[in-house]
Amino acid sequence: MKKLVALALTSVLATSAFAFPVKPITLVVPFPPGPTDTVTRQLAEAMRKAMPGATFVVENTSGAGGTIGANRVARADADGHTLLVWHIGMASTANLYRKLPFKALDDFTYLGMINEVPMTLIGSPKLPANTYKEFEAYVRSNGGKLNMAHAGIGAASHLCGLMWQSAMGLKEGMTTIPFTGTGPALNALLGGQVDLMCDQTTNTSGQIEAKSVKAFAVTTSKRLSDNALLKDLPTLQESGLKGFDLTIWHGLYAPKGTPAAVSKQLNTALQAALKDPEFIAKQKALGAVVVTDKRVTNEGHKAFVADQIKKLGPVIDAAGQFAD
Ligand code: MLT
């Protein structure tokens, strides 16, 4: 009899040890509503389909270019119920911040990459320029008087601004105005409080379509030829900034020490979500491309971020003179 009870107990313990999720899963977005938030809410919907019965809650924890939200997850219980959706900031902040409360490659469990997103250089309708050439000429002669918005040191919009000003070799850098995210930054641009910004198409497409901002260029190495709205925007490369190539990417993370079975289950749900036609279509409509290669695996994701940290080091050093 005793043996039977022991057997029953082990099997109960075994299953309860891997009963996951046992409560809502929080997806931390390290910015207020804006491009990263949009990607996360669309992902949550697709992962919900892949994990029937699971509840996903999106929580915006902003500040310091996304590092406050990232640290919130790095310090959370490693039980798979608190996850982080973050972008290239995982790699840019590793280079830009001398002291971070977490280490990108040590303090997270890598659950897989999500997407790649181009960036657009946009400006206020008041700017006396309609093409990128006119815009760059105006910036070169009025740089010191112009305000460029971004989402904090290490944010994608900040990195883009650094790289663009450095590539132009601007003598006098623009005044850069940090916001908690490019959602609020875009509102400030629409309200005339700032002159320009470099931001993800997931945030700017709507305003470009509505012609409430001027779009001057894309940051990718090739034109977005399959995007009806953005296909005629020149790349910064073809506009004379040799080798300029910036594509933003988003990944999914849990705290280090998350049980392997939980990490596997979350990665399986993520990979199913990335194959969801509805999610793919929604991302495409905003100019984003869902990842389909080995970076969707735990190992592939971590290897990619390690490589990005290495690649961004010299880029940021070269542009560092514009760091706030
Ligand atoms: C960024 O600039 O890092 C992002 O666009 C921030 C955001 O999602 O608000």
Side-chain angles (χ1 to χ4, degrees), residues 38-243:
T38 301
V39 170
T40 306
R41 291 180 192 277
Q42 290 182 0
L43 179 72
E45 223 171 288
M47 284 188 76
R48 207 172 283 125
K49 282 192 231 168
M51 289 175 79
T55 312
F56 287 88
V57 175
V58 175
E59 173 200 291
N60 301 84
T61 303
S62 312
T67 56
I68 291 178
N71 191 41
R72 151 127 170 68
V73 175
R75 301 284 159 261
D77 293 342
D79 60 12
H81 292 96
T82 308
L83 309 180
L84 169 69
V85 175
W86 201 12
H87 55 32
I88 197 169
M90 182 66 93
S92 58
T93 56
N95 284 291
L96 271 167
Y97 283 77
R98 270 178 282 283
K99 260 176 40 309
L100 273 178
F102 57 83
K103 288 204 174 335
L105 298 174
D106 300 344
D107 290 331
F108 295 95
T109 298
Y110 282 63
L111 299 177
M113 285 274 286
I114 300 166
N115 68 6
E116 293 187 320
V117 194
M119 297 195 92
T120 44
L121 257 182
I122 59 170
S124 151
K126 290 185 305 205
L127 290 177
N130 291 307
T131 65
Y132 176 75
K133 285 275 171 231
E134 291 167 358
F135 174 61
E136 185 177 306
Y138 183 74
V139 168
R140 284 188 186 287
S141 42
N142 297 278
K145 295 194 275 295
L146 296 173
N147 294 331
M148 177 174 207
H150 61 72
I153 293 188
S157 45
H158 175 259
L159 175 66
C160 182
L162 282 188
M163 289 171 62
W164 175 54
Q165 292 186 69
S166 168
M168 279 199 291
L170 268 192
K171 294 280 163 288
E172 192 191 5
M174 284 173 260
T175 309
T176 57
I177 315 275
F179 291 79
T180 51
T182 47
L186 187 57
N187 292 337
L189 193 144
L190 295 170
Q193 283 100 40
V194 291
D195 301 303
L196 57 121
M197 173 164 73
C198 182
D199 194 18
Q200 299 174 63
T201 55
T202 31
N203 200 31
T204 59
S205 296
Q207 302 301 344
I208 293 171
E209 188 156 28
K211 298 195 182 338
S212 42
V213 297
K214 285 184 176 178
F216 297 111
V218 292
T219 62
T220 41
S221 55
K222 293 198 180 58
R223 288 196 179 206
L224 306 178
S225 41
D226 65 351
N227 182 311
L229 175 70
L230 305 171
K231 65 183 171 30
D232 299 330
L233 285 182
T235 65
L236 288 174
Q237 264 197 52
E238 74 181 80
S239 306
L241 301 184
K242 293 261 156 305

